[in-house]
Amino acid sequence: MKNTVLQVATFLGALSCLGSSNAAETRTALVPLPSIGDFTDGDGWGVGLGLGVEYETAYEGSDEFEFEIDPAGGVQWRTGEHIFFWAGEAIGWRTLAKDAWLFQATVGYEEGREEDDSEDGRLDGLGESSSGVILLLEVRRALADDWRYFLDGRVLTGEIGTLGILGAGTCLACEADGTGWEVGAAVTFHDGELANRDFGVNARQSIDSGLPETDVDSGYRSTGVNVNYRNYLNENWQIFGEALYEVYGSDVSDSPISRNDYEAEIGVGFIYVF
């Protein structure tokens, strides 16, 4: 995985050397972080449409990997230090306060795991895990004037359970238009409902699948690192990349559903910004 991430990072870095002298020099993002897409240029509408290709684990705890093509971009409306946005199955709002606090609230839909997510039949008899509406609340605190260093806290909660994330990151060679490199690390925690949705095996599932009945406690879930990249190739075309490596705690990795003690994904894509 490390070699793959390094190869993609080298590829993206080479693309960045193409330069962007004509690439949206007048754009000013709400915050200069590549992980926070901003297609506006001050007040008004911003629209970005594109596609991304990811190579990732087939489901939580899987040792099977697959390619997935997803839409990228979204529709945004900005007024002052506020952005309202729609992206995929989520709508949300984010705002910047005192140039150092970023707040975000998002409502989305989380799809459940299905038995055929495993081509090797390792989910047979487990049925479909729950799907539902989720609410994401996030706050980031800049530790430097240019967001070179920041802290990050997130809570995801809804019909599927609750996930908490505590993280920190650094922005490398970031520009005011939201381009550059971002590297972060985070620790995640889950409640019992989410833990057993992803990694538990109840009595009925045990009978149907042959896996031992398993109850996963709430608490520590994983530790991970992530990399985000974004750059304008010209005035309208934007390239982005992302990579994630997450190591599970012992309670999760000991689950019979977990075939690996880690999750990994890497992706690249293009967006046309109108």
Side-chain angles (χ1 to χ4, degrees):
M1 184 63 189
K2 292 181 179 179
N3 291 336
T4 304
V5 173
L6 179 60
Q7 291 168 3
V8 173
T10 303
F11 167 70
L12 294 176
L15 283 176
S16 69
C17 291
L18 293 174
S20 53
S21 58
N22 297 319
E25 294 176 346
T26 61
R27 295 185 186 273
T28 302
L30 187 65
V31 289
L33 296 178
S35 61
I36 305 293
D38 184 351
F39 309 123
T40 67
D41 181 21
D43 288 356
W45 289 97
V47 179
L49 297 177
L51 288 174
V53 179
E54 293 183 342
Y55 184 65
E56 60 184 355
T57 50
Y59 57 90
E60 299 276 1
S62 173
D63 61 355
E64 302 169 57
F65 287 80
E66 62 183 13
F67 284 98
E68 183 173 340
I69 298 177
D70 294 312
V75 179
Q76 303 171 343
W77 183 69
R78 180 172 171 180
T79 174
E81 304 295 358
H82 303 272
I83 291 181
F84 300 89
F85 60 90
W86 167 55
E89 297 179 327
I91 57 172
W93 159 80
R94 66 174 65 106
T95 186
L96 182 65
K98 297 184 178 179
D99 297 323
W101 291 91
L102 178 68
F103 299 95
Q104 178 168 302
T106 305
V107 177
Y109 185 80
E110 180 75 12
E111 296 182 356
R113 182 191 63 212
E114 299 180 357
E115 290 187 3
D116 59 8
D117 286 343
S118 172
E119 294 184 357
D120 295 338
R122 292 174 174 169
L123 299 175
D124 290 353
L126 294 177
E128 182 178 348
S129 65
S130 59
S131 304
V133 176
I134 58 171
L135 171 66
L136 172 66
L137 301 175
E138 178 177 5
V139 57
R140 295 195 188 192
R141 174 67 164 94
L143 302 179
D145 291 341
D146 56 359
W147 285 82
R148 178 65 182 273
Y149 305 101
F150 60 89
L151 299 177
D152 184 24
R154 279 168 279 173
V155 175
L156 184 153
T157 188
E159 298 173 277
I160 64 172
T162 300
L163 179 74
I165 303 173
L166 296 175
T170 180
C171 200
L172 306 175
C174 290
E175 302 293 339
D177 60 1
T179 60
W181 291 90
E182 183 182 325
V183 180
V187 178
T188 67
F189 305 86
H190 52 197
D191 68 355
E193 183 178 1
L194 181 61
N196 285 287
R197 169 189 182 266
D198 293 336
F199 302 103
V201 181
N202 61 35
R204 169 51 60 183
Q205 291 173 325
S206 178
I207 294 171
D208 293 341
S209 68
L211 297 177
E213 190 172 347
T214 303
D215 182 73
V216 183
D217 292 333
S218 61
Y220 173 69
R221 181 184 179 99
S222 65
T223 298
V225 294
N226 61 277
V227 179
N228 285 277
Y229 171 82
R230 193 179 299 271
N231 191 49
Y232 280 97
L233 300 178
N234 55 41
E235 185 176 357
N236 298 103
W237 282 104
Q238 184 183 102
I239 183 174
F240 68 90
E242 54 190 13
L244 168 71
Y245 185 79
E246 184 178 4
V247 179
Y248 294 130
S250 58
D251 284 351
V252 171
S253 59
D254 288 344
S255 164
I257 293 177
S258 297
R259 302 288 177 164
N260 266 334
D261 60 0
Y262 69 89
E263 178 184 356
E265 66 179 62
I266 190 166
V268 64
F270 294 89
I271 297 175
Y272 185 86
V273 180
F274 292 85

